[in-house]
Amino acid sequence: MTFPPDVLPLASISAMRPVFLIIMGVFLLLTAWRITRGTTGWSPRLLMAGAMMLATGYSVIIPLYNAGILIAIPPSGFVNGDAATAMAWECLKLVTLNGGWLVFGMGLAIHAGVFETEKSVAPIQVPHSSSHEPIH
């Protein structure tokens, strides 16, 4: 069975990729919401901000590129259409995805306590050994 060039079969990888990206973006947002529920401070703010940026990039911007609504900049650099609009969408895609991962990762690191510098309450015990004492 042959399809017209503008119609993709529903079971093809090209047709399923935007659906997968939309589900992934929404799942990431819901997971971040579940992690930050009931917490306060900078970690939930950064986690949710990064998750919202990633959900926007994965669930809206990339499927619009896959659908052909947004014009991608080809490797040759010559755009058939408004080059300023294509460049603006490309910059928005880069900011939402790269900035989203950066902000999400920072929030996750703060939430996990990676940057905490609190001292341990356990006393430090230094072993008392001398080179003159025999070892038993």
mmCIF file of all heavy atoms in Angstrom, residues 40-67:
data_model
loop_
_atom_site.group_PDB
_atom_site.id
_atom_site.type_symbol
_atom_site.label_atom_id
_atom_site.label_comp_id
_atom_site.label_asym_id
_atom_site.label_seq_id
_atom_site.Cartn_x
_atom_site.Cartn_y
_atom_site.Cartn_z
ATOM 1 N N THR A 40 9.363 23.336 50.133
ATOM 2 C CA THR A 40 9.487 24.772 49.943
ATOM 3 C C THR A 40 10.946 25.106 49.657
ATOM 4 O O THR A 40 11.832 24.291 49.878
ATOM 5 C CB THR A 40 9.034 25.543 51.197
ATOM 6 O OG1 THR A 40 9.843 25.123 52.307
ATOM 7 C CG2 THR A 40 7.572 25.289 51.502
ATOM 8 N N GLY A 41 11.162 26.295 49.177
ATOM 9 C CA GLY A 41 12.521 26.749 48.915
ATOM 10 C C GLY A 41 12.832 26.821 47.433
ATOM 11 O O GLY A 41 11.936 26.829 46.586
ATOM 12 N N TRP A 42 14.134 26.857 47.138
ATOM 13 C CA TRP A 42 14.563 27.017 45.755
ATOM 14 C C TRP A 42 14.501 25.730 44.958
ATOM 15 O O TRP A 42 14.329 25.761 43.744
ATOM 16 C CB TRP A 42 15.985 27.585 45.703
ATOM 17 C CG TRP A 42 15.964 29.058 45.870
ATOM 18 C CD1 TRP A 42 16.275 29.759 46.993
ATOM 19 C CD2 TRP A 42 15.570 30.017 44.899
ATOM 20 N NE1 TRP A 42 16.119 31.093 46.778
ATOM 21 C CE2 TRP A 42 15.687 31.289 45.490
ATOM 22 C CE3 TRP A 42 15.132 29.932 43.595
ATOM 23 C CZ2 TRP A 42 15.375 32.445 44.813
ATOM 24 C CZ3 TRP A 42 14.834 31.102 42.919
ATOM 25 C CH2 TRP A 42 14.958 32.331 43.525
ATOM 26 N N SER A 43 14.658 24.588 45.606
ATOM 27 C CA SER A 43 14.668 23.341 44.839
ATOM 28 C C SER A 43 13.346 23.075 44.122
ATOM 29 O O SER A 43 13.367 22.752 42.925
ATOM 30 C CB SER A 43 15.075 22.165 45.712
ATOM 31 O OG SER A 43 14.117 21.878 46.683
ATOM 32 N N PRO A 44 12.174 23.224 44.749
ATOM 33 C CA PRO A 44 10.953 22.988 43.980
ATOM 34 C C PRO A 44 10.722 24.042 42.897
ATOM 35 O O PRO A 44 10.180 23.738 41.839
ATOM 36 C CB PRO A 44 9.838 23.007 45.022
ATOM 37 C CG PRO A 44 10.391 23.714 46.184
ATOM 38 C CD PRO A 44 11.868 23.460 46.163
ATOM 39 N N ARG A 45 11.153 25.278 43.156
ATOM 40 C CA ARG A 45 10.996 26.321 42.140
ATOM 41 C C ARG A 45 11.822 26.008 40.903
ATOM 42 O O ARG A 45 11.342 26.124 39.772
ATOM 43 C CB ARG A 45 11.411 27.674 42.710
ATOM 44 C CG ARG A 45 10.519 28.183 43.794
ATOM 45 C CD ARG A 45 11.058 29.471 44.359
ATOM 46 N NE ARG A 45 10.336 29.847 45.555
ATOM 47 C CZ ARG A 45 10.786 30.673 46.467
ATOM 48 N NH1 ARG A 45 11.978 31.227 46.313
ATOM 49 N NH2 ARG A 45 10.071 30.966 47.530
ATOM 50 N N LEU A 46 13.077 25.619 41.130
ATOM 51 C CA LEU A 46 13.945 25.305 39.998
ATOM 52 C C LEU A 46 13.497 24.035 39.285
ATOM 53 O O LEU A 46 13.513 23.967 38.048
ATOM 54 C CB LEU A 46 15.392 25.171 40.469
ATOM 55 C CG LEU A 46 16.071 26.462 40.912
ATOM 56 C CD1 LEU A 46 17.439 26.168 41.508
ATOM 57 C CD2 LEU A 46 16.195 27.425 39.758
ATOM 58 N N LEU A 47 13.100 23.028 40.054
ATOM 59 C CA LEU A 47 12.621 21.794 39.438
ATOM 60 C C LEU A 47 11.397 22.038 38.561
ATOM 61 O O LEU A 47 11.328 21.560 37.425
ATOM 62 C CB LEU A 47 12.281 20.763 40.508
ATOM 63 C CG LEU A 47 13.399 19.841 40.955
ATOM 64 C CD1 LEU A 47 12.990 19.068 42.186
ATOM 65 C CD2 LEU A 47 13.768 18.909 39.852
ATOM 66 N N MET A 48 10.432 22.770 39.079
ATOM 67 C CA MET A 48 9.211 23.020 38.308
ATOM 68 C C MET A 48 9.471 23.944 37.121
ATOM 69 O O MET A 48 8.900 23.750 36.054
ATOM 70 C CB MET A 48 8.111 23.592 39.209
ATOM 71 C CG MET A 48 7.495 22.566 40.127
ATOM 72 S SD MET A 48 6.840 21.116 39.278
ATOM 73 C CE MET A 48 5.543 21.837 38.302
ATOM 74 N N ALA A 49 10.335 24.950 37.291
ATOM 75 C CA ALA A 49 10.647 25.838 36.175
ATOM 76 C C ALA A 49 11.345 25.063 35.062
ATOM 77 O O ALA A 49 11.006 25.205 33.879
ATOM 78 C CB ALA A 49 11.530 26.992 36.649
ATOM 79 N N GLY A 50 12.318 24.228 35.421
ATOM 80 C CA GLY A 50 12.993 23.418 34.417
ATOM 81 C C GLY A 50 12.060 22.421 33.759
ATOM 82 O O GLY A 50 12.108 22.210 32.543
ATOM 83 N N ALA A 51 11.186 21.802 34.546
ATOM 84 C CA ALA A 51 10.237 20.835 33.984
ATOM 85 C C ALA A 51 9.238 21.517 33.057
ATOM 86 O O ALA A 51 8.865 20.947 32.019
ATOM 87 C CB ALA A 51 9.509 20.103 35.109
ATOM 88 N N MET A 52 8.810 22.728 33.399
ATOM 89 C CA MET A 52 7.888 23.444 32.508
ATOM 90 C C MET A 52 8.571 23.852 31.205
ATOM 91 O O MET A 52 7.973 23.776 30.130
ATOM 92 C CB MET A 52 7.289 24.651 33.219
ATOM 93 C CG MET A 52 6.246 24.274 34.236
ATOM 94 S SD MET A 52 5.283 25.642 34.892
ATOM 95 C CE MET A 52 6.480 26.514 35.840
ATOM 96 N N MET A 53 9.850 24.259 31.312
ATOM 97 C CA MET A 53 10.585 24.588 30.087
ATOM 98 C C MET A 53 10.757 23.347 29.211
ATOM 99 O O MET A 53 10.553 23.406 27.989
ATOM 100 C CB MET A 53 11.953 25.181 30.444
ATOM 101 C CG MET A 53 11.879 26.571 31.031
ATOM 102 S SD MET A 53 13.469 27.144 31.662
ATOM 103 C CE MET A 53 14.367 27.420 30.154
ATOM 104 N N LEU A 54 11.106 22.226 29.821
ATOM 105 C CA LEU A 54 11.276 20.997 29.051
ATOM 106 C C LEU A 54 9.963 20.497 28.473
ATOM 107 O O LEU A 54 9.921 20.018 27.331
ATOM 108 C CB LEU A 54 11.918 19.925 29.928
ATOM 109 C CG LEU A 54 13.387 20.160 30.267
ATOM 110 C CD1 LEU A 54 13.839 19.187 31.343
ATOM 111 C CD2 LEU A 54 14.241 20.035 29.035
ATOM 112 N N ALA A 55 8.889 20.592 29.245
ATOM 113 C CA ALA A 55 7.588 20.164 28.736
ATOM 114 C C ALA A 55 7.155 21.028 27.561
ATOM 115 O O ALA A 55 6.588 20.524 26.579
ATOM 116 C CB ALA A 55 6.543 20.210 29.855
ATOM 117 N N THR A 56 7.431 22.318 27.612
ATOM 118 C CA THR A 56 7.108 23.194 26.495
ATOM 119 C C THR A 56 7.936 22.827 25.267
ATOM 120 O O THR A 56 7.408 22.752 24.152
ATOM 121 C CB THR A 56 7.364 24.668 26.871
ATOM 122 O OG1 THR A 56 6.570 24.993 28.015
ATOM 123 C CG2 THR A 56 7.015 25.591 25.728
ATOM 124 N N GLY A 57 9.218 22.588 25.468
ATOM 125 C CA GLY A 57 10.076 22.232 24.344
ATOM 126 C C GLY A 57 9.709 20.895 23.726
ATOM 127 O O GLY A 57 9.588 20.771 22.509
ATOM 128 N N TYR A 58 9.519 19.876 24.578
ATOM 129 C CA TYR A 58 9.235 18.533 24.067
ATOM 130 C C TYR A 58 7.794 18.351 23.615
ATOM 131 O O TYR A 58 7.529 17.598 22.676
ATOM 132 C CB TYR A 58 9.569 17.479 25.124
ATOM 133 C CG TYR A 58 11.043 17.232 25.278
ATOM 134 C CD1 TYR A 58 11.652 17.327 26.517
ATOM 135 C CD2 TYR A 58 11.835 16.904 24.191
ATOM 136 C CE1 TYR A 58 13.006 17.093 26.662
ATOM 137 C CE2 TYR A 58 13.188 16.677 24.326
ATOM 138 C CZ TYR A 58 13.761 16.776 25.562
ATOM 139 O OH TYR A 58 15.109 16.548 25.701
ATOM 140 N N SER A 59 6.839 18.996 24.280
ATOM 141 C CA SER A 59 5.430 18.763 23.966
ATOM 142 C C SER A 59 4.851 19.734 22.954
ATOM 143 O O SER A 59 3.803 19.457 22.373
ATOM 144 C CB SER A 59 4.591 18.838 25.246
ATOM 145 O OG SER A 59 4.997 17.848 26.142
ATOM 146 N N VAL A 60 5.512 20.885 22.737
ATOM 147 C CA VAL A 60 4.957 21.882 21.823
ATOM 148 C C VAL A 60 5.904 22.183 20.658
ATOM 149 O O VAL A 60 5.539 22.021 19.490
ATOM 150 C CB VAL A 60 4.609 23.195 22.572
ATOM 151 C CG1 VAL A 60 4.090 24.244 21.618
ATOM 152 C CG2 VAL A 60 3.596 22.929 23.677
ATOM 153 N N ILE A 61 7.120 22.590 20.975
ATOM 154 C CA ILE A 61 8.005 23.105 19.938
ATOM 155 C C ILE A 61 8.501 22.002 19.004
ATOM 156 O O ILE A 61 8.409 22.132 17.777
ATOM 157 C CB ILE A 61 9.182 23.879 20.571
ATOM 158 C CG1 ILE A 61 8.635 25.112 21.307
ATOM 159 C CG2 ILE A 61 10.186 24.309 19.512
ATOM 160 C CD1 ILE A 61 9.665 25.868 22.094
ATOM 161 N N ILE A 62 9.032 20.907 19.542
ATOM 162 C CA ILE A 62 9.558 19.852 18.673
ATOM 163 C C ILE A 62 8.457 19.183 17.850
ATOM 164 O O ILE A 62 8.666 18.929 16.657
ATOM 165 C CB ILE A 62 10.388 18.843 19.489
ATOM 166 C CG1 ILE A 62 11.662 19.530 19.969
ATOM 167 C CG2 ILE A 62 10.737 17.616 18.659
ATOM 168 C CD1 ILE A 62 12.598 18.660 20.735
ATOM 169 N N PRO A 63 7.263 18.887 18.394
ATOM 170 C CA PRO A 63 6.211 18.361 17.514
ATOM 171 C C PRO A 63 5.795 19.341 16.406
ATOM 172 O O PRO A 63 5.416 18.905 15.314
ATOM 173 C CB PRO A 63 5.044 18.081 18.471
ATOM 174 C CG PRO A 63 5.710 17.774 19.757
ATOM 175 C CD PRO A 63 6.873 18.719 19.813
ATOM 176 N N LEU A 64 5.880 20.649 16.668
ATOM 177 C CA LEU A 64 5.587 21.600 15.602
ATOM 178 C C LEU A 64 6.641 21.543 14.499
ATOM 179 O O LEU A 64 6.331 21.709 13.317
ATOM 180 C CB LEU A 64 5.478 23.022 16.161
ATOM 181 C CG LEU A 64 4.241 23.317 17.000
ATOM 182 C CD1 LEU A 64 4.308 24.722 17.581
ATOM 183 C CD2 LEU A 64 2.982 23.146 16.178
ATOM 184 N N TYR A 65 7.885 21.307 14.871
ATOM 185 C CA TYR A 65 8.926 21.098 13.864
ATOM 186 C C TYR A 65 8.654 19.820 13.080
ATOM 187 O O TYR A 65 8.785 19.785 11.860
ATOM 188 C CB TYR A 65 10.311 20.998 14.519
ATOM 189 C CG TYR A 65 11.014 22.317 14.678
ATOM 190 C CD1 TYR A 65 11.172 22.892 15.931
ATOM 191 C CD2 TYR A 65 11.541 22.980 13.588
ATOM 192 C CE1 TYR A 65 11.833 24.090 16.089
ATOM 193 C CE2 TYR A 65 12.207 24.186 13.729
ATOM 194 C CZ TYR A 65 12.345 24.740 14.990
ATOM 195 O OH TYR A 65 12.995 25.928 15.129
ATOM 196 N N ASN A 66 8.281 18.735 13.769
ATOM 197 C CA ASN A 66 8.017 17.469 13.092
ATOM 198 C C ASN A 66 6.807 17.549 12.175
ATOM 199 O O ASN A 66 6.762 16.867 11.156
ATOM 200 C CB ASN A 66 7.826 16.348 14.105
ATOM 201 C CG ASN A 66 9.112 15.978 14.787
ATOM 202 O OD1 ASN A 66 10.195 16.228 14.270
ATOM 203 N ND2 ASN A 66 9.014 15.374 15.954
ATOM 204 N N ALA A 67 5.836 18.373 12.536
ATOM 205 C CA ALA A 67 4.647 18.519 11.699
ATOM 206 C C ALA A 67 4.884 19.422 10.499
ATOM 207 O O ALA A 67 4.048 19.495 9.604
ATOM 208 C CB ALA A 67 3.494 19.077 12.540
#
